[in-house]
Amino acid sequence: MNYLFLATSVVWVLIAGYVVILGKRQKKLQKEIFQLEEWNSEQ
């Protein structure tokens, strides 16, 4: 039963890490979109 708990915990940690990585990528993309919108409005 300990192995089941350990495996489930590992899966949840991996999912949480993946969500954090996706969040960081999304922030970076939002910054790039904002910069492109500013650049486009200047022209």
Side-chain angles (χ1 to χ4, degrees), residues 5-22:
F5 175 75
L6 180 63
T8 305
S9 298
V10 168
V11 169
W12 277 110
V13 167
L14 291 173
I15 291 171
Y18 183 64
V19 168
V20 168
I21 290 170
L22 287 180

Side-chain angles (χ1 to χ4, degrees), residues 6-38:
L6 180 63
T8 305
S9 298
V10 168
V11 169
W12 277 110
V13 167
L14 291 173
I15 291 171
Y18 183 64
V19 168
V20 168
I21 290 170
L22 287 180
K24 288 182 180 182
R25 285 185 187 176
Q26 183 177 359
K27 273 188 176 181
K28 183 180 175 186
L29 287 173
Q30 283 177 336
K31 284 182 183 179
E32 289 182 23
I33 289 171
F34 182 72
Q35 289 174 345
L36 287 171
E37 287 174 344
E38 282 185 342

